[in-house]
Amino acid sequence: MRSTGAKLLILLTAIGLLLGAASCVDRTRAARKPAVPQSISQGQGREPRLKVFIKETGEIKEMGLEEYVTNVVAGEMKNFFPENALAAQAILARTFVLQFVTTKKRSSLNPDAHISTDFEEAQAWNPQNVNARVRRAVKRTRGEVATFNGNYINAWFFSHAGGITATAKEGLNFKEAEPPYIKVVKSPDAPEAPDEFANWRAEFTKQEVAAALAKLGQQPGSIDSIKVLDRGPSGRATRMQIGNAVVMAPDFRVALDSVKMKSTLLTSARVEGDRVILAGKGFGHGVGMSQWGAFTLAKRNRSPEDIIRYYFRDVDVVKLY
């Protein structure tokens, strides 16, 4: 006969197995797969195929989703980045295109294509930068996408966070409700990043600033002052006054020059003579994954999936095929 202690051990083991099974069911339910858009679906468990408008040549090319993702990763991230960072970029690139086709259906540049290689419409594209490291990163994450409650997320990413990421409303002037998976988090942006990403300074003429404001339907009058009126949770400027004009900072950055005005994480803004001088930290809108932060996390041996979860709250990374 078994001792009382042995019976108790068997009972506890059985309970543990039952709880473990229940936990697995819950995780499976939480991580349900989103639907692949019917216009590009290739059947259960098969890689979707895309019609891509190649802006550079004007042709439409049909290709597997993984080929598209490979060329996007090479366009959006330096091919010398750690493989896990490139793999995290691949997950977001794959998520982006499937979310794009789900919501927009077709490219605005060519309605016969699902998406284009125009980075202003979709994502950067650079087949020439594809190397073995990029290919391995994409292959490792084949079919993986980031989801929230079974839907593709807005797979936002950018270059450098300046130490902290932003909400969608402050970083992008996002018009819809703040996505629950977007969070403000400290970003370990790599010291290997160019110095002008961590701390930048840019000068503009008053005429350039006035032209940018005109694009936003604003007339500033005499541009004798510039100041930040409001900041968001990460400290980024959300609303600015320039002369008599009041504008949303993310919109002003895009209208002015988002390469020179690298972010809205401003540390100073002033007018000197005929010049408007801005300084700040980071490069990009600040929402979602920082690429230079992913660089550091990958160096710390964080997995691609862990990098995604670091920057996005409560998301699941699921394998579609």
Side-chain angles (χ1 to χ4, degrees), residues 47-179:
E47 178 186 350
R49 294 188 66 79
L50 289 169
K51 291 181 179 178
V52 181
F53 174 60
I54 312 297
K55 182 183 177 184
E56 295 73 16
T57 63
E59 65 179 322
I60 293 178
K61 183 178 178 182
E62 183 172 330
M63 66 187 70
L65 179 56
E66 298 304 308
E67 179 183 350
Y68 170 82
V69 168
T70 300
N71 293 329
V72 166
V73 170
E76 290 287 2
M77 183 174 276
K78 300 296 185 182
N79 61 15
F80 62 80
F81 268 42
E83 191 172 309
N84 281 4
L86 290 163
Q89 186 72 53
I91 294 170
L92 292 184
R94 196 177 291 109
T95 304
F96 180 98
V97 64
L98 291 172
Q99 197 264 355
F100 181 98
V101 178
T102 298
T103 57
K104 298 183 180 180
K105 312 300 182 187
R106 294 284 172 172
S107 167
S108 63
L109 300 183
N110 191 322
D112 292 328
H114 296 110
I115 201 165
S116 75
T117 60
D118 179 24
F119 77 92
E120 291 185 353
E121 177 185 59
Q123 304 181 93
W125 166 276
N126 195 337
Q128 288 72 35
N129 278 0
V130 173
N131 61 8
R133 188 187 298 243
V134 170
R135 292 191 184 281
R136 285 196 305 269
V138 174
K139 185 177 181 180
R140 281 180 53 196
T141 63
R142 177 180 171 83
E144 288 188 14
V145 294
T147 68
F148 183 84
N149 285 346
N151 297 311
Y152 301 112
I153 66 169
N154 286 299
W156 289 309
F157 56 88
F158 59 96
S159 182
H160 192 293
I164 189 168
T165 65
T167 66
K169 287 189 175 296
E170 67 171 328
L172 291 163
N173 193 22
F174 192 57
K175 299 297 193 296
E176 300 173 29
E178 186 70 35

Side-chain angles (χ1 to χ4, degrees), residues 80-82 160 188-195 197 292 295-296 299:
F80 62 80
F81 268 42
H160 192 293
D189 303 297
E192 292 91 338
D195 290 341
F197 288 7
W292 281 103
F295 183 106
T296 297
K299 287 285 190 180

Side-chain angles (χ1 to χ4, degrees), residues 23-35 145-151 309 314-320:
S23 176
C24 289
V25 170
D26 289 343
R27 284 197 297 272
T28 302
R29 186 181 300 116
R32 65 184 185 275
K33 295 180 181 180
V145 294
T147 68
F148 183 84
N149 285 346
N151 297 311
R309 295 186 189 103
D314 297 334
V315 299
D316 294 303
V317 177
V318 300
K319 191 173 180 65
L320 290 180

